[in-house]
């Protein structure tokens, strides 16, 4: 690899590190959560209120598992099956986020709003 290519790779890595991870509130908007759950997690006709998830989900990891494959997770969870029938849209899997991003988002969502 040439020196210029190494320099460019080093600069790209430094820039990515300097920017740091996306804050969970920004990730919430970036992933489109606000469209169905409201800008302040208040819910709307497409998705439920997310302001008290800490009382509804036992762990961040359970919520991450749900976010990755909502349809599979809902099966066998009566509360989620019932809730899903109340809204016009089905929760779609989150595919464009890393595990670390989803863990950060889940932790943030489980905090009181």
């Amino acid at each position: 690899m040439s020196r210029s290519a190494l320099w460019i790779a080093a600069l790209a890595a430094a820039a990515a590190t300097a920017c740091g991870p996306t804050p969970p509130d920004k990730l919430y908007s970036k992933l489109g959560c606000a469209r169905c759950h409201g800008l302040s997690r208040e819910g709307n006709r497409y998705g439920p209120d997310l302001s008290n998830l800490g009382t509804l989900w036992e762990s961040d990891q359970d919520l991450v598992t749900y976010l990755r494959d909502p349809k599979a997770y809902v099966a066998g969870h009566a509360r989620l099956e019932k809730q899903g029938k109340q809204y016009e849209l089905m929760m779609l899997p989150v595919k464009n986020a890393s595990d670390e991003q989803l863990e950060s988002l889940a932790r943030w969502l489980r905090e009181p709003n």
Side-chain angles (χ1 to χ4, degrees), residues 7-109:
W7 180 248
I8 291 170
L11 283 175
T17 304
C19 293
T22 305
D25 58 326
K26 303 293 184 217
L27 190 58
Y28 176 83
S29 294
K30 180 180 173 184
L31 293 175
C33 305
R35 284 181 284 200
C36 295
H37 298 285
L39 292 174
S40 299
R41 301 187 275 170
E42 71 277 8
N44 60 39
R45 73 183 211 190
Y46 300 112
D49 179 341
L50 302 179
S51 62
N52 292 311
L53 290 188
T55 62
L56 299 173
W57 291 86
E58 291 184 29
S59 72
D60 297 344
Q61 191 54 52
D62 283 345
L63 186 50
V64 169
T65 301
Y66 169 77
L67 292 171
R68 284 282 182 219
D69 192 356
K71 188 175 181 179
Y73 192 92
V74 166
H77 290 85
R79 174 183 66 83
L80 296 173
E81 287 176 339
K82 181 180 176 184
Q83 185 177 36
K85 294 174 184 172
Q86 298 172 3
Y87 297 96
E88 295 183 22
L89 299 176
M90 173 69 178
M91 175 74 183
L92 298 173
V94 178
K95 296 183 178 184
N96 54 340
S98 69
D99 288 340
E100 293 79 18
Q101 288 174 315
L102 285 184
E103 288 164 6
S104 173
L105 180 63
R107 197 169 26 259
W108 179 75
L109 287 170

